[in-house]
Amino acid sequence: MKVADVMTAQVVTATPRSTIAEVARTMAQIETGAVPVTDDGQVVGLVTDRDIVLRAVAEGLPLSTPISEVMTEGVETCREDDSVADATGKMGGKQIRRLVVLNDSGRLAGILSLGDVAQEYGAKQVGRTLEEISESTPAAQ
């Protein structure tokens, strides 16, 4: 199965100039914990609710601060035609919960989360798959 078959394709984005408050409100409205940050159609980062708590709230930054100050740069990605097994292997190896999905042009196509995979395959299978991946990674050996 391909990533495109499982990913969330309808993704709301922010720009680097969006404020922390704007992004937090968006997260609350659409009930998500992660928003890709794009600039001129290119993914330049990802901001999570955890980023906002640890890098903004805990540091006392004003809510008017641009999201670029707290986002994660250099996000992990996959392609929409990658296999779900390869993508989840990458997630397990990097110990991350989501991958930004790019199309053939390198532009945002969606997000693949552990929740997407669990919904498709069932939580038990996801747990077994991630366990197998973690056992086969060099760090686990």
Side-chain angles (χ1 to χ4, degrees), residues 1-4 78-84 101-102 104:
M1 183 170 288
K2 300 292 183 191
V3 168
C78 65
R79 297 288 179 159
E80 57 188 344
D81 61 347
D82 289 349
S83 74
V84 172
V101 182
L102 304 176
D104 288 337

Side-chain angles (χ1 to χ4, degrees), residues 55-113:
R55 296 178 184 164
V57 176
E59 296 298 322
L61 294 179
L63 295 179
S64 59
T65 302
I67 205 66
S68 60
E69 304 236 351
V70 298
M71 72 182 186
T72 299
E73 296 179 19
V75 298
E76 294 294 327
T77 65
C78 65
R79 297 288 179 159
E80 57 188 344
D81 61 347
D82 289 349
S83 74
V84 172
D86 287 344
T88 56
K90 187 175 198 176
M91 293 165 88
K94 302 278 185 177
Q95 297 186 8
I96 56 176
R97 296 176 175 218
R98 54 187 66 87
L99 290 172
V100 171
V101 182
L102 304 176
N103 63 21
D104 288 337
S105 303
R107 296 199 178 266
L108 180 67
I111 290 184
L112 178 68
S113 71

